[in-house]
Amino acid sequence: MIVGVGIDVAEIDRFARSLERTPGLATRLFLPAERFLPSGERRGVASLAARFAAKEALAKALGAPRGLRWTDAEVVTADSGAPSLVVRGTVAERAAALGVRRWHVSLSHDAGVASAVVVAEA
């Protein structure tokens, strides 16, 4: 059964300006594994914008409650390239309260826009 669906888009250039303008924003939004590739290189801004959109979409799928911590949701990428979500803390608590047992996530970025869809399933 579907508990919630969320979708979000982020303008990549606007997101990049936010990161430049606000020191420490990336560390408040993302865990180190989200900011860096396994090789140690920094992820590109389009990839970060898509991950930000996924976190926004996740919050919407959970009913957009107050008090969710950005770093309590992590977007991870399998070797195949498929994204998935790992939740903990405030996000895991809300998901458990709603009976969420499985997540589906899709990320995309093209033409200056990053987007994400998250489905929460019981």
Side-chain angles (χ1 to χ4, degrees):
M1 176 174 88
I2 294 176
V3 174
V5 177
I7 185 169
D8 195 70
V9 297
E11 183 184 341
I12 296 169
D13 287 342
R14 182 176 176 209
F15 186 75
R17 289 191 303 273
S18 294
L19 291 175
E20 291 169 8
R21 186 177 56 248
T22 310
L25 179 60
T27 58
R28 288 196 311 268
L29 295 175
F30 306 108
L31 293 166
E34 293 175 299
R35 294 191 317 268
F36 297 94
L37 295 167
S39 65
E41 293 179 70
R42 288 188 179 276
R43 284 193 192 275
V45 70
S47 177
L48 290 177
R51 282 163 168 69
F52 176 72
K55 292 179 183 215
E56 287 277 358
L58 169 64
K60 291 172 183 177
L62 293 175
R66 293 179 187 255
L68 298 180
R69 293 187 59 221
W70 291 108
T71 53
D72 282 348
E74 180 181 7
V75 179
V76 297
T77 306
D79 291 339
S80 67
S84 62
L85 293 168
V86 174
V87 300
R88 58 185 65 83
T90 59
V91 176
E93 289 169 14
R94 175 65 176 176
L98 295 174
V100 177
R101 298 195 184 279
R102 188 169 178 201
W103 300 100
H104 306 273
V105 60
S106 179
L107 308 176
S108 184
H109 47 81
D110 190 27
V113 176
S115 62
V117 175
V118 171
V119 176
E121 182 181 354

